[in-house]
Amino acid sequence: TDMHSPSAVCTPTRYGLLTGRYCWRTRLKESVLFGYGTALIEPDRATLASLLQGHGYRTAVFGKWHLGLGDGEKTDYSKPLSPGPLSVGFDRFYGIPASLDMAPYVYVENTQVVEAATEEIESANYIRFGGKGYIVGGKIAPSFRHIDVLPVTTDKTVEFIDQQSAEKPFFVYVPFSAPHTPWVPTKQYSGKSRAGSYGDFTVMVDDCVGRILGALDRNGFTDNTLVMFTSDNGSHWLAQDIKQYEHRGNLDYRGQKADIHEGGHRVPFLVRWPRQIKPGTVRSGLGCLTDVFATVASVIGKPLAWDAGEDSFSLLPLWQQGKAVRNAIVHHSGRGMFSIRRGDWKLILGLGTGGFTEPWGKIEPKEGEPAGQLYHLGNDLAEQDNVYLQHPEVVASLSRLLDEFMRTGRSR
């Protein structure tokens, strides 16, 4: 219940999940990659996939890659797309290069485009403002339809699971394109959520997860398979959506996707592992998606090397014995704002949100006002009472800790 994405937007979170390392330690200091962005994961860096591949697992990824393809200044889709998923430990890839609203709109299989993007599509507006969903105009393959991507991702995943056997373990990473814009639920989900197209698309995600779990069940893999379900950032849910649908996509947390506040990076985290974790278990210990890397290493009994997973802690003691594993965590917004959390204290370096909610730009404090934000989440989970000026010793202590993590290049 206290799990966090390492960033409040998608590309850096995906990097952190696969490498166990905060993405702000790379060339990507804020925002995300776009459709022609080249490979972000550094050559020879250990990943979840390479760890498991080296331990005898079949490895596959289906869905939204969004970690860059190829090298150089810009991805050349007429050439083999390497480095990419197959360069960092995956045996198989089928999916889209970036987000569902980023050109070029093509499918990639392993290192090749399935169908070249020879046509053009125009930009569209957000459905919340009268459009049909946000799409950046650009190149598109003739047969590519945005509405097909989530079903195709699910079909490919289920097909892969059906091809596996009990003799050889497997790892499958399924980064869905949904419920990112454009919101394109198929007809059978329309109106199911009573929370608009975004809600309907989320219901469709739930059904797709059910199909994948069903494939594990059908093949007899359930009892011995660790399944983790989470999100790469908070819900993109506006104040007007709360009012219109009487629904809080981020519970009572402040902010939304991209923001430095809890609504930007506190995410759901569900685990199913019947032989190891008792069903119905709830844990409140602090965690980060970078911790998946060290956790998986613990599962297979392979301790991490000193230079791997610098920001990753194994969650197994938390899951199985309820023991805390993390002392602190660094948060990062979509526009590069930093925060550090230790215990109930959360320090934000700067004012505003650093994300999609105004005010998000650089704000200069007025005379006598705090230069940053300090919240005690035990008393103020909604982050409404900034006590920065009242606790200078906490501000100083957390600032030193953040500086140490940045200076040493690791938090583990």
Side-chain angles (χ1 to χ4, degrees):
T1 59
D2 201 357
M3 195 69 172
H4 299 261
S5 55
S7 172
V9 288
C10 51
T11 296
T13 288
R14 291 155 196 270
Y15 177 90
L17 175 74
L18 289 179
T19 67
R21 185 171 185 253
Y22 293 132
C23 188
W24 47 263
R25 300 193 190 281
T26 74
R27 75 174 195 263
L28 189 68
K29 307 300 182 185
E30 59 180 87
S31 190
V32 300
L33 294 181
F34 289 86
Y36 292 91
T38 54
L40 179 62
I41 298 177
E42 304 89 344
D44 302 324
R45 180 164 296 283
T47 69
L48 268 176
S50 66
L51 174 74
L52 290 167
Q53 188 183 57
H55 209 69
Y57 281 65
R58 293 190 180 98
T59 59
V61 50
F62 303 105
K64 169 187 168 183
W65 177 240
H66 209 179
L67 283 165
L69 295 167
D71 53 19
E73 295 293 318
K74 180 180 178 181
T75 306
D76 185 345
Y77 283 89
S78 68
K79 297 180 179 179
L81 299 173
S82 184
L86 271 61
S87 309
V88 297
F90 288 103
D91 298 318
R92 174 153 166 67
F93 167 53
Y94 194 99
I96 58 176
S99 288
L100 194 56
D101 60 5
M102 295 178 180
Y105 301 108
V106 295
Y107 288 109
V108 176
E109 184 166 16
N110 295 332
T111 62
Q112 301 288 335
V113 170
V114 174
E115 180 185 27
T118 57
E119 298 182 357
E120 293 276 342
I121 188 173
E122 294 182 355
S123 295
N125 295 322
Y126 275 108
I127 196 168
R128 289 170 174 146
F129 306 122
K132 295 182 178 179
Y134 181 69
I135 298 174
V136 176
K139 292 289 188 178
I140 186 171
S143 65
F144 188 96
R145 298 196 318 156
H146 290 76
I147 200 169
D148 294 336
V149 173
L150 184 55
V152 166
T153 298
T154 307
D155 288 346
K156 293 289 184 181
T157 305
V158 169
E159 179 184 17
F160 175 81
I161 293 171
D162 285 341
Q163 293 170 347
Q164 305 312 304
S165 68
E167 282 69 46
K168 187 176 178 69
F170 64 90
F171 165 59
V172 58
Y173 167 50
V174 191
F176 283 147
S177 55
H180 198 287
T181 56
W183 304 302
V184 283
T186 55
K187 187 176 181 180
Q188 73 185 93
Y189 303 97
S190 181
K192 294 293 185 183
S193 69
R194 294 179 294 166
S197 295
Y198 191 119
D200 294 346
F201 212 14
T202 305
V203 171
M204 186 173 175
V205 167
D206 182 74
D207 192 45
C208 291
V209 172
R211 286 189 57 208
I212 293 170
L213 295 178
L216 294 173
D217 296 344
R218 182 173 62 252
N219 287 282
F221 298 143
T222 299
D223 286 348
N224 200 35
T225 299
L226 169 59
V227 177
M228 288 175 271
F229 174 81
T230 188
S231 176
D232 53 6
N233 45 243
S235 174
H236 191 180
W237 199 249
L238 310 178
Q240 67 196 57
D241 297 314
I242 296 174
K243 183 177 180 180
Q244 179 177 353
Y245 299 112
E246 297 183 344
H247 173 72
R248 294 181 175 272
N250 293 307
L251 300 179
D252 292 318
Y253 303 129
R254 180 176 174 179
Q256 60 168 322
K257 173 183 177 177
D259 294 350
I260 196 64
H261 298 106
E262 294 295 286
H265 50 75
R266 190 182 284 237
V267 293
F269 192 76
L270 307 177
V271 175
R272 189 182 80 167
W273 198 14
R275 287 187 180 175
Q276 299 291 336
I277 300 175
K278 182 180 178 181
T281 298
V282 178
R283 299 296 189 218
S284 59
L286 185 63
C288 181
L289 296 188
T290 56
D291 297 336
V292 171
F293 189 76
T295 304
V296 169
S298 295
V299 168
I300 64 173
K302 188 174 178 63
L304 291 181
W306 172 253
D307 59 350
E310 297 93 324
D311 303 302
S312 191
F313 297 78
S314 174
L315 296 172
L316 282 187
L318 177 64
W319 293 354
Q320 296 180 324
Q321 291 95 38
K323 296 179 180 178
V325 298
R326 261 191 178 271
N327 176 49
I329 185 173
V330 178
H331 304 307
H332 196 233
S333 81
R335 299 183 188 271
M337 178 180 279
F338 279 96
S339 170
I340 184 165
R341 160 94 178 276
R342 182 173 60 188
D344 285 329
W345 287 110
K346 177 180 175 181
L347 173 68
I348 299 173
L349 302 187
L351 302 174
T353 73
F356 291 166
T357 304
E358 293 287 353
W360 53 260
K362 183 174 176 57
I363 301 170
E364 294 296 336
K366 297 178 182 178
E367 186 176 352
E369 293 186 348
Q373 303 170 66
L374 180 68
Y375 301 103
H376 189 282
L377 299 184
N379 302 326
D380 180 26
L381 193 53
E383 298 173 282
Q384 297 299 306
D385 184 17
N386 182 5
V387 294
Y388 186 97
L389 295 179
Q390 291 93 311
H391 297 278
E393 74 289 351
V394 177
V395 171
S397 176
L398 290 177
S399 296
R400 286 194 299 269
L401 184 61
L402 178 58
D403 180 67
E404 178 186 339
F405 289 163
M406 291 180 166
R407 180 171 42 82
T408 61
R410 62 192 303 110
S411 58
R412 177 170 61 86

